[in-house]
Amino acid sequence: AAWAEGGNMFATINDPFVEHPAQISVYDVPLDASSFPDTPRLEIELPKDHQNKKINPTNIVWLALNEALFVTFDNGAIRLYDPVTGKELEEIFAHEKKINRVSFNKDKTLFITSSADFTAKLFDAIDLKHMKTYKTDRPVNDAVISETKDHILLGGGQEAMSVTTTAGKVGKFETRFFWLVYEEEFGTVKGHFGPINALDINPNGLSYASGAEDGYVRLHFFDKSYLDMKDPVPEEAEEDFEEEEQQ
């Protein structure tokens, strides 16, 4: 479920069940709770894919100013829907496999998708243009964009069905840190002994939380060396910047 900006609407997604297809439901929220409607204002039936296979929605988000409903699917697709008419506005295929999670930056100009195809991808939220890809050697269950640094945090690990026969080190359940611009990994944080399913960074940039299949939620505080570190700048660009400052 996702609340619209202003709090006067919310939308839900559901998987197909028996003869009921997957659908999006949009509800209006009146000021008087006693007059809350029993049925949604809008129902958008989600059709099967081009091969006539059922597809399940995995995430729903309202875009800025409630202009559209942003929905991800287990076939790697992303669709935009008009929240008034229910019309499909746009569709792109961002991944080869299921999109597990999507996360936007604070002003909803960028978003990052996490997928079972071992990648996370950064997109422009205005035109859905693909910008960066962060590659791993395991399914990515969640990824977040730092608000204070040009960093991406990724979490995931070996699929849950295989965890019982795998040592924690082999399962690779660390949080992985990537440079947002350069798409390169520069660090990991260990701690969990099951796949990481959820990540979020404190808005003040001083800590982050991770939740995993092992049943634990861990709160991590960044040390001074991380908070003080500077992002790498190519030598030529750095020299040009220093020359401009001297002038």
Side-chain angles (χ1 to χ4, degrees):
W3 283 93
E5 292 182 7
N8 60 348
M9 297 181 290
F10 70 91
T12 64
I13 51 176
N14 65 269
D15 292 343
F17 180 72
V18 193
E19 72 276 8
H20 300 286
Q23 71 175 34
I24 302 169
S25 301
V26 180
Y27 294 83
D28 289 325
V29 180
L31 294 177
D32 182 6
S34 63
S35 61
F36 189 87
D38 294 330
T39 57
R41 169 177 59 79
L42 175 66
E43 291 182 330
I44 306 171
E45 185 175 320
L46 301 175
K48 297 178 181 179
D49 65 11
H50 302 299
Q51 298 177 343
N52 204 35
K53 293 181 180 179
K54 291 181 178 179
I55 56 173
N56 297 333
T58 55
N59 299 274
I60 185 168
V61 179
W62 292 81
L63 293 186
L65 303 178
N66 301 331
E67 290 184 346
L69 287 166
F70 176 103
V71 185
T72 63
F73 293 88
D74 63 359
N75 66 344
I78 296 173
R79 293 179 187 167
L80 300 185
Y81 290 91
D82 187 311
V84 177
T85 65
K87 178 182 178 183
E88 182 181 319
L89 303 175
E90 193 166 351
E91 180 183 43
I92 65 169
F93 283 87
H95 290 275
E96 297 176 0
K97 294 183 179 180
K98 176 183 178 182
I99 298 177
N100 291 316
R101 196 69 62 89
V102 62
S103 178
F104 284 73
N105 64 347
K106 185 177 181 180
D107 56 9
K108 290 189 174 180
T109 56
L110 297 172
F111 68 87
I112 188 167
T113 54
S114 312
S115 175
D117 67 5
F118 296 12
T119 67
K121 294 184 179 182
L122 186 71
F123 291 83
D124 186 319
I126 307 303
D127 56 12
L128 303 186
K129 180 181 178 182
H130 173 230
M131 301 174 68
K132 301 289 181 180
T133 298
Y134 309 96
K135 298 179 181 179
T136 71
D137 55 358
R138 73 206 75 171
V140 182
N141 295 335
D142 202 2
V144 288
I145 305 167
S146 173
E147 295 292 341
T148 57
K149 289 181 174 290
D150 288 333
H151 296 170
I152 299 291
L153 273 61
L154 270 64
Q158 186 178 4
E159 294 184 8
M161 67 180 67
S162 305
V163 169
T164 54
T165 59
T166 306
K169 185 177 180 182
V170 178
K172 300 179 180 178
F173 308 132
E174 309 95 344
T175 301
R176 305 178 70 169
F177 288 68
F178 283 76
W179 302 116
L180 182 148
V181 175
Y182 304 113
E183 305 170 295
E184 296 176 355
E185 181 181 341
F186 67 88
T188 61
V189 173
K190 299 180 180 179
H192 288 289
F193 50 91
I196 295 173
N197 291 329
L199 287 171
D200 207 3
I201 303 175
N202 190 324
N204 64 18
L206 300 179
S207 59
Y208 79 94
S210 58
E213 202 83 24
D214 58 15
Y216 288 93
V217 175
R218 300 177 67 91
L219 181 60
H220 311 256
F221 290 88
F222 295 124
D223 57 23
K224 188 174 186 300
S225 62
Y226 174 83
L227 297 175
D228 292 343
M229 73 182 293
K230 295 182 180 181
D231 290 344
V233 178
E235 293 182 4
E236 293 182 3
E238 191 172 15
E239 290 173 0
D240 292 342
F241 180 73
E242 290 176 353
E243 288 178 3
E244 290 179 3
E245 280 194 329
Q246 291 173 358
Q247 293 175 358

